[in-house]
Amino acid sequence: MAKDTRSRGGDETNGAERRSNVSALRRSEPVIRSRSTAQEKPLFNAIGFDKHSLSSAINKYRVIAKTVGVRDPFFRTHDARSGATTIMDGREVTNFASYDYLGLNQAPSVGEAAKAAIDQYGTSVSASRLVAGERGLHQELERELADFYEAEAALTFVSGHATNVATIGVLMTSDDLVVHDDYVHNSALVGIQLSGAAKRSFPHNDYDALERILAESRGQYKNALLVVEGLYSMDGDFPDLPRLIALKEKYGLWLMVDEAHSLGVLGNTGRGLFEHYDVDPRHVDIWMGTLSKTLGACGGYIAGSHALIQILKFKAPGFVYSVGLSAPLAAASLEALRLLKAEPERVARLQENGQRFLKEAKAIGLDTLGSAGYSVVPVMVGDGLKAVRLTERLLERGVNALPIIYPAVPLKAARIRFFITSEHTEEQICQTVLIVKYELDRLNRSLLKIVDSAITRFSRE
Ligand SMILES: Cc1ncc(COP(=O)(O)O)c(C=O)c1O
């Protein structure tokens, strides 16, 4: 039998040579493999990504933070399931930075459902559902989501962000209009941009302004979509659903409500915005939500009519050209949805905690903007750097809560955002509010204001 030496590289000397060549290659500049390409004079030069305008913007913030001696509060590592508490740098801290509003990410049966799904189906469904990725769990979850909204059908996607992008992006066209609240999530804005539809925004929760836009513009477009959130993730307030439904009917709009932060949060049994107002959910054309928050998993969903879901199933790029939701995530979401329905006491505890946080914070003089005291309570700080510094001090005192700074909110509207869960204790909430007040007052008294004005000057240069 002929001996195949092609992949063996001959004797030891050759092997050693080859290894040293390989490591030299790894160390050196990229190698141009084709001689003809190397000889051609480039017509244009691509800049390195370190010269990209986005890199400069990020680096500028880093330099400012370093100059004033604050640590980057983002991308910090957690070493535990983060809920009402978490472990950071080996230390247990009280946590207000988790979307696990009903503690379902901690529920044993949710984890067990995910493990059983892995045993049966593996960790990935390995293909788009259209071609080879459909599992019974997808249909079960979608049936229960549809029932939850009394809708005809539902569809799940692998990410909440992709759900908004794909849905708005495919439904609307350049003949259409999308009107949205100023505070809607980036995913809706990206979807609108992708669709090519005309875009008009109205000031947050200002329905007179919304009606002026509709009166003026609706007639110029074929279809029109109105996009709002069930509970706004930056301010913690929510829209007037009955008023929106009246406007939708008057002006012939499709109404889309993003329930990312209101599922499991609003309404006596956590069914969301429609239950809060005791409104028939079928008045809303497109219910959107995420599996990543109350449902403790990852992914997004749309619930609505059969016709809507059929369009998404066959035409939405983020569904058609993307892998199906993995079985463990589908199973975890399904079990979490069942627990949400079976244990409304979780919702009651969350609502009590949200109200407690809000009441204590207001009583002590903290500015909580328009928060209604449910899952999200912001504490206004103003300056971005001050918010970052406050975060750092809170962590030193055993509280993890993150700053929201420009561009997520306007330049001088930085805040610390507290996500409240059903699992926080009264003591954790009351102590945290006191710590926030104490540390914020300390910062306000400190020399930071002077440093800030120097930095503002520096960042303009
Ligand atoms: C209102 C809203 N919609 C959509 C999303 C995207 O969801 P996901 O993080 O599950 O992709 C978020 C994420 O935070 C959100 O706040």
Side-chain angles (χ1 to χ4, degrees), residues 36-104:
S36 64
T37 310
Q39 284 168 350
E40 278 170 25
K41 195 169 175 295
L43 297 177
F44 301 96
N45 284 320
I47 55 165
F49 291 117
D50 57 331
K51 304 277 184 318
H52 194 288
S53 58
L54 293 176
S55 288
S56 330
I58 294 165
N59 292 337
K60 200 164 169 182
Y61 278 110
R62 293 246 158 89
V63 170
I64 293 171
K66 209 167 164 198
T67 312
V68 295
V70 290
R71 280 205 305 152
D72 190 340
F74 305 112
F75 296 104
R76 287 199 175 146
T77 307
H78 294 243
D79 301 317
R81 270 183 227 208
S82 77
T85 59
T86 186
I87 296 179
M88 298 172 81
D89 288 332
R91 190 168 64 117
E92 184 174 283
V93 295
T94 306
N95 187 36
F96 288 95
S98 159
Y99 295 133
D100 188 17
Y101 295 134
L102 298 183
L104 297 173

Side-chain angles (χ1 to χ4, degrees), residues 99 158-164 183-188 229-233 258-261 288-293 297-300 417:
Y99 295 133
V158 286
S159 121
H161 193 281
T163 305
N164 273 336
Y183 287 10
V184 294
H185 192 255
N186 166 276
S187 48
E229 286 181 21
L231 191 134
Y232 287 92
S233 64
D258 177 338
E259 290 261 274
H261 299 274
M288 180 271 168
T290 63
L291 307 176
S292 62
K293 298 177 172 69
C298 183
R417 186 169 53 162

Side-chain angles (χ1 to χ4, degrees), residues 271-291:
R271 293 201 166 222
L273 192 65
F274 76 84
E275 190 188 18
H276 177 87
Y277 283 108
D278 194 19
V279 156
D280 185 336
R282 286 169 295 190
H283 286 300
V284 170
D285 305 273
I286 308 174
W287 286 107
M288 180 271 168
T290 63
L291 307 176

